C-alpha cells in the first residue's frame, strides 16, 4: 500500500511537470549546459583563448541560423494562421447557408468582408440568405450566388464581375454603380431595384426580371437579354447597343427610353412607332 501511494505521487509529479513546457525546457537546458561545460573543462583550462575564439565563431553561426529559422518559422506560422482563418470564415458561411434569419444574414456578410480582407473574392454563397444586408463596396468577383436571397440589400459599387447570379433575388435592392460585367444572371430578379450607372456589359440576363427597375445610365452593351422583362423600367440614358436578343416588344414595355443608346434598327423602329418613349 505504501509503495502504491509513492508510485501515485511520482506519477502525479511527472504529469504536473509534463504540463509545464517552460519548466521542462529550462531543466533540459540546465542538464545540457552541465554536460557540455564539464566536457569542455580541459579546453578552458589549457587553451582558453583559442577555444574561446572557436566558441564565438560558432556563436555567430548559431545567431545566423536562429535568425533564418526564426523568420522561416514566423512566415510559416503566419501562413498557417491565415489559412486556418480563411477555413473558419468559409465554414461559418456553410453553417449559416439556407438559415433564413437576420442573424444568419449579418454573420454571413461579416465573414464575406473578412474573406475580402484576405483577398478572397470567389466565395460560395449558393442559397445564402442576405436580405437587408450591407454589401456596398464588397468584392465578389467570380463568386457563386445562385438562388441567393439578396432582397432589399445595399450593393452600391459592389463588384460582381463574372459572378454567378442565376435565379438570384435582388428585388428592392440598391445596386447603383455596381459592376456586373460578364455576370451570369439568367432568371435573376431585379424587380424594383436601383441599377443607376450599373455596369452589366456582356452579362447573361436571359429571362431576367427588370420590372420597375431604375436603370438610368446603366451599361448593357453586348448583354444577352433574351426574354428579359423591362416592364415599366426606367432606361433613361441606358446604353443597350449590341444587346443580344433585344426586341422592340421588350423596349416598348419600358417606362422611358429618353436619350437611351440603341442599335440603329431598333432606334428607327422606336422612332416610327413609339416616339413618345424617347421624349419622356
Amino acid at each position: 500500500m505504501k509503495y502504491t501511494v509513492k508510485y501515485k505521487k511520482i506519477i502525479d509529479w511527472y504529469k504536473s511537470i509534463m504540463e509545464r513546457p517552460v519548466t521542462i525546457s529550462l531543466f533540459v537546458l540546465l542538464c545540457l549546459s552541465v554536460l557540455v561545460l564539464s566536457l569542455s573543462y580541459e579546453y578552458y583550462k589549457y587553451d582558453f583563448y583559442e577555444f574561446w575564439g572557436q566558441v564565438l565563431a560558432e556563436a555567430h553561426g548559431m545567431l545566423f541560423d536562429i535568425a533564418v529559422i526564426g523568420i522561416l518559422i514566423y512566415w510559416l506560422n503566419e501562413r498557417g494562421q491565415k489559412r486556418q482563418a480563411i477555413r473558419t470564415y468559409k465554414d461559418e458561411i456553410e453553417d449559416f447557408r439556407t438559415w433564413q434569419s437576420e442573424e444568419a444574414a449579418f454573420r454571413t456578410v461579416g465573414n464575406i468582408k473578412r474573406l475580402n480582407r484576405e483577398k478572397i473574392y470567389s466565395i460560395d454563397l449558393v442559397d445564402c440568405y442576405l436580405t437587408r444586408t450591407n454589401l456596398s463596396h464588397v468584392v465578389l468577383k467570380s463568386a457563386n450566388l445562385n438562388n441567393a436571397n439578396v432582397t432589399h440589400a445595399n450593393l452600391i459599387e459592389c463588384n460582381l464581375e463574372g459572378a454567378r447570379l442565376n435565379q438570384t433575388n435582388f428585388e428592392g435592392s440598391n445596386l447603383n454603380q455596381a459592376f456586373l460585367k460578364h455576370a451570369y444572371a439568367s432568371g435573376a430578379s431585379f424587380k424594383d431595384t436601383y441599377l443607376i450607372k450599373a455596369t452589366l456589359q456582356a452579362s447573361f440576363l436571359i429571362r431576367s426580371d427588370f420590372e420597375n427597375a431604375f436603370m438610368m445610365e446603366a451599361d448593357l452593351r453586348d448583354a444577352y437579354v433574351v426574354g428579359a422583362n423591362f416592364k415599366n423600367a426606367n432606361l433613361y440614358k441606358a446604353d443597350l447597343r449590341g444587346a443580344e436578343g433585344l426586341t422592340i416588344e421588350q423596349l416598348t414595355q419600358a417606362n422611358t427610353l429618353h436619350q437611351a443608346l440603341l442599335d440603329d434598327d431598333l432606334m428607327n423602329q422606336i422612332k416610327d412607332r413609339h416616339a413618345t418613349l424617347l421624349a419622356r
Side-chain angles (χ1 to χ4, degrees), residues 85-100:
I86 291 171
R87 189 180 301 112
T88 299
Y89 302 149
K90 289 182 176 181
D91 287 345
E92 287 191 9
I93 290 174
E94 185 63 36
D95 292 339
F96 295 123
R97 195 185 304 279
T98 73
W99 183 16
Q100 298 189 17

Side-chain angles (χ1 to χ4, degrees), residues 43-232:
Y43 296 100
Y44 282 111
K45 183 177 179 181
Y46 296 109
D47 200 358
F48 176 77
Y49 292 106
E50 183 179 349
F51 182 72
W52 184 246
Q54 294 178 8
V55 170
L56 291 177
E58 289 294 330
H60 281 80
M62 183 183 66
L63 287 174
F64 179 76
D65 291 342
I66 290 173
V68 172
I69 294 172
I71 292 170
L72 178 62
I73 290 174
Y74 175 78
W75 179 73
L76 291 173
N77 185 58
E78 285 292 307
R79 283 182 61 85
Q81 288 182 347
K82 181 178 179 179
R83 286 196 299 269
Q84 182 59 45
I86 291 171
R87 189 180 301 112
T88 299
Y89 302 149
K90 289 182 176 181
D91 287 345
E92 287 191 9
I93 290 174
E94 185 63 36
D95 292 339
F96 295 123
R97 195 185 304 279
T98 73
W99 183 16
Q100 298 189 17
S101 74
E102 183 177 312
E103 180 184 357
F106 284 96
R107 292 186 69 172
T108 298
V109 169
N111 285 310
I112 291 170
K113 291 179 178 180
R114 294 184 189 99
L115 286 169
N116 266 201
R117 287 198 291 270
E118 299 293 346
K119 298 187 179 353
I120 304 296
Y121 310 123
S122 181
I123 306 170
D124 182 4
L125 297 168
V126 175
D127 295 323
C128 281
Y129 183 80
L130 299 167
T131 189
R132 300 186 187 282
T133 55
N134 184 5
L135 288 163
S136 296
H137 310 289
V138 167
V139 180
L140 290 168
K141 290 175 65 175
S142 303
N144 192 341
L145 287 90
N146 288 344
N147 297 304
N149 186 343
V150 202
T151 56
H152 306 289
N154 282 318
L155 296 99
I156 298 170
E157 294 186 22
C158 180
N159 189 337
L160 290 158
E161 182 179 2
R164 296 185 179 277
L165 310 170
N166 300 308
Q167 307 298 323
T168 303
N169 190 354
F170 290 101
E171 186 174 339
S173 292
N174 187 340
L175 287 95
N176 288 345
Q177 296 182 299
F179 193 75
L180 292 90
K181 187 175 181 179
H182 297 298
Y184 299 86
S186 295
S189 176
F190 295 95
K191 188 176 180 180
D192 298 312
T193 59
Y194 287 86
L195 288 155
I196 300 170
K197 293 185 178 180
T199 300
L200 296 114
Q201 185 180 354
S203 55
F204 291 83
L205 305 169
I206 300 168
R207 295 188 177 85
S208 291
D209 188 358
F210 293 96
E211 184 175 350
N212 298 321
F214 296 88
M215 305 177 72
M216 292 81 89
E217 299 184 59
D219 183 358
L220 287 92
R221 287 175 296 164
D222 303 315
Y224 295 83
V225 294
V226 176
N229 178 18
F230 292 102
K231 185 177 181 181
N232 292 325

